Every structure is written in C-alpha cells, then in structure tokens.
Amino acid sequence: MLNYFDLSNCRLCPRDCGVNRLAGERGYCGEGAVIRASRAALMYYEEPCISGFCGSGAVFFCGCSLGCLFCQNYAISSRNKKEEPSFSSQSIEKGPVRMELTPEKLADVFLSLQEQKAANINLVTASHFLPLLIPSLESARRNGLVIPVVYNTSSYERPEALRRLEGLVDIYIPDLKFCDPALSAAYAGAPDYFERAAAAIREMVRQQPSPLFSDGSHTLDAEDDSDDPMMLRGVIIRHMVMPGHTEDSRKILRYLYEEYGDSVFLSIMNQYTPMPQVLDSPVGLRHPLLKRTVTEKEYDEVIDFAISLGITNGFIQEGGTVSRSFIPAFDGTGL
Ligand code: SF4
C-alpha cells in the first residue's frame, strides 16, 4: 500500500508528483521537506464564529498544491519558487518572507498564538506539509495547546492523508471552488478538482459530522449575529462566487445541500479580487472574466438560489469585502 506521507516519493496530494522532496526536488506545490510559512498572527475577517472578538490565530504556509491563477495569497502560494531565498532567521527583505520552521518551532508558534488569546489555531493551506505538521500539532497539544485547531484548505487533497488528522483538527474550513471540470482546468490546471474536493470534504465531515458551538448549541441564531458563540467543532464549506460563473455556483450549492443538508455550514463569498498576477499578465488576456469583480446582481442571484434551496446554516458577505487590504502582509510576522 502506498505511503502517502513518504516525501521521498511524494504523492501526498492528487498532483501525484512522485518527486523526492527529501533530496531537494520540488513538485507542483513548490515546497520541499522543510515547513515554510510567511505569517502567524491574529486575523479578524474570518466568519464571526471563527474570528470572534479576539481574532483567529492564522498561520499562512508557503506553497499550494492547487495553485489557482487568481489566488489572493499568490505572493506566497505560487509554485516553483526554488530560486527565491528562504529565511532561517528573522531577516526580512522586500517582498514576501518565507521562514523555514522545524516542527518544534511551529509548535511554539501555535502556543504563542494561544498566549496572544487567539480563538483558535487557523492553518491556512498546510496540506503539502502534513507529514511535518502532524508532529507539530501533537507536540503543541502535549505542551498545553487547548484552543481549537482549524484546517483551512483548497480541498484538493487525498482523503487517505486527511485521515491522519483525525483527533487533531476540530474545525475544517474547506473550499469547494469549482464544479465544471473545464473551469477548474482553466483556472487551476485541475480538471479533477470537483471529484477530488468532494471526496476530501466527505472525509472532513466524517471526522466532524456535527457542529458544536461554545454555548453548547449545534447551530447559530440567524437573527442575532451580534453575540455569536464560537465554533468549537464542525465544518464550514466556503464557496467564492467567480465573476461570470453563477451557474457553477448553483451546481455547487445544490450538491452541498443535497449531500449534507444542515449538518455543515456554508459560507458564500463575494470577495473575489483581481490580483496583479491576473491584471498585469497574459493570464488576464486569456481569462478576461478574472479581471473584474463579482457584480452585486451575480452575488444576489447566488444567495437567492441558496435561500430557494432551503439553506439556513450559512454565512454571506456584506458589501465592501472586495479589497486587497484584506490580504495580510507576508512579512514573517509571528515566526
Ligand atoms: S504535495 Fe506537492 S510534491 Fe507532493 S504530490 Fe502534492 S503537489 Fe506534488
């Protein structure tokens, strides 16, 4: 049986690169055999039950196995960056900082975020580091980490690998980005995205089948978001509406509601922001829709569809969320 955690023949994710990361080779995610991250700090603009008043303790990892053309974290997620320097000390240069971290150091980072009163530890795009991340989480737990661990992912993952997170992750926040294989092929080079992501999300829901909030309830009061309890366990599936692709959004929402009903929360996002790698490059010429934001009409259409399906466990975004100012500084803060 294949060992999905063997970095000398990396098949950790559906890209199936087969590279020897231990010998310095890099595959699609662009990362080797050492954890690299760019920021660990409190973040306030996640869903209210994740950020709360204190902020979510977000750790932004470098690299990504999906690699969407429009990624908002492109500065640190873009692949094949082996020519760029990484940093093993607190040196900071212009541009994104990529800090190398041992599993022990990463465990200390988690504990430091807890000391800063973070509501949770929020692992942002860590899947390609799973074999190194798991010892970090285990060590942090042994040394006093008690706040929930949130696993924030593109969902382009193998269920077999995710199984190793059972008992270590309290809240999963997977994306379900695309349904149409042509769309996921065009925007992320992954025609199999939907089937892979759907299988990964199924595993996450198996591990956390029912939401639990800090007031002991299993749901949120839809009328009152001023004093939301915090999520302690569960799954929040995010879908960001893409400009010009509301039909794909409808298919995704229908699938999720038919599959999971109210056992998961859905977060329907309108924050798509055209980034420089789209605006200032041939990508924008090939995919002109990526150069604009989602219109109010498009977003309203998707929300109306969600309501018509009967979705009640959901989060929507208010106007004004489209802004690059939501993208944090990848400057090595907290590492
Ligand atoms: S984790 Fe990275 S190297 Fe390994 S299979 Fe996925 S993309 Fe390839």
Side-chain angles (χ1 to χ4, degrees):
M1 198 172 133
L2 204 55
N3 175 6
Y4 293 110
F5 274 32
D6 177 7
L7 293 183
S8 71
N9 175 23
C10 190
R11 301 182 189 278
L12 188 53
C13 83
R15 294 288 182 196
D16 235 353
C17 301
V19 295
N20 185 351
R21 291 171 62 179
L22 298 176
E25 293 177 5
R26 296 182 187 217
Y28 202 93
C29 63
E31 293 300 308
V34 178
I35 296 168
R36 295 198 304 172
S38 193
R39 183 182 178 84
L42 300 177
M43 184 163 68
Y44 297 91
Y45 46 85
E46 302 283 56
E47 289 76 3
C49 63
I50 298 298
S51 288
F53 291 112
C54 300
S56 176
V59 183
F60 288 86
F61 292 89
C62 301
C64 178
S65 56
L66 184 57
C68 298
L69 295 176
F70 52 82
C71 181
Q72 297 186 16
N73 297 338
Y74 189 80
I76 59 165
S77 68
S78 50
R79 63 180 185 269
N80 294 331
K81 293 288 184 185
K82 60 187 167 191
E83 74 284 0
E84 293 191 9
S86 55
F87 300 84
S88 54
S89 67
Q90 290 287 339
S91 64
I92 293 180
E93 289 186 359
K94 201 164 176 283
V97 171
R98 294 176 170 84
M99 299 288 289
E100 293 189 348
L101 302 169
T102 62
E104 297 74 28
K105 169 66 181 162
L106 184 58
D108 288 344
V109 168
F110 297 155
L111 292 167
S112 166
L113 287 167
Q114 178 171 265
E115 276 170 27
Q116 294 169 51
K117 309 284 182 228
N120 41 56
I121 301 299
N122 189 344
L123 308 168
V124 183
T125 315
S127 60
H128 45 292
F129 292 123
L130 273 183
L132 306 157
L133 174 70
I134 286 174
S136 289
L137 287 172
E138 289 171 339
S139 165
R141 286 290 192 216
R142 275 197 306 277
N143 288 295
L145 184 75
V146 292
I147 56 178
V149 171
V150 179
Y151 188 78
N152 201 318
T153 170
S154 73
S155 305
Y156 198 56
E157 307 227 23
R158 283 189 193 282
E160 299 88 341
L162 287 169
R163 256 172 234 143
R164 304 279 283 270
L165 286 172
E166 189 159 13
L168 290 171
V169 168
D170 304 284
I171 300 166
Y172 283 100
I173 305 188
D175 294 332
L176 192 51
K177 293 171 182 284
F178 319 105
C179 182
D180 181 356
L183 190 60
S184 57
Y187 285 176
D192 59 348
Y193 173 79
F194 180 80
E195 61 192 89
R196 297 293 197 168
I201 290 172
R202 209 168 293 129
E203 169 59 22
M204 298 178 216
V205 178
R206 184 194 71 74
Q207 291 181 27
Q208 295 296 350
S210 170
L212 177 67
F213 292 90
S214 52
D215 62 355
S217 69
H218 299 284
T219 190
L220 291 172
D221 183 348
E223 300 301 317
D224 177 17
D225 64 359
S226 60
D227 192 22
D228 272 345
M230 300 300 291
M231 186 176 251
L232 299 180
R233 288 206 304 262
V235 179
I236 300 174
I237 304 172
R238 285 179 176 165
H239 172 65
M240 183 168 74
V241 180
M242 295 299 296
H245 292 291
T246 54
E247 186 52 35
D248 208 55
S249 295
R250 286 167 183 256
K251 287 181 193 163
I252 284 170
L253 294 178
R254 183 186 297 282
Y255 164 77
L256 289 173
Y257 194 60
E258 287 178 358
E259 191 77 5
Y260 299 113
D262 286 332
S263 65
V264 299
F265 278 75
L266 304 185
S267 184
I268 306 170
M269 308 167 83
N270 68 352
Q271 69 185 42
Y272 174 74
T273 307
M275 296 293 292
Q277 79 271 11
V278 168
L279 293 173
D280 308 331
S281 80
V283 172
L285 290 175
R286 284 203 311 275
H287 305 290
L289 282 171
L290 290 179
K291 293 170 77 171
R292 70 163 172 89
T293 57
V294 170
T295 64
E296 214 175 303
K297 183 169 175 292
E298 285 174 322
Y299 188 60
D300 288 350
E301 191 185 313
V302 173
I303 297 301
D304 288 347
F305 182 72
I307 292 168
S308 77
L309 284 175
I311 293 172
T312 54
N313 279 351
F315 299 95
I316 60 172
Q317 288 185 317
E318 305 295 336
T321 52
V322 177
S323 167
R324 280 188 216 159
S325 66
F326 280 89
I327 300 161
F330 296 123
D331 57 4
T333 296
L335 297 172

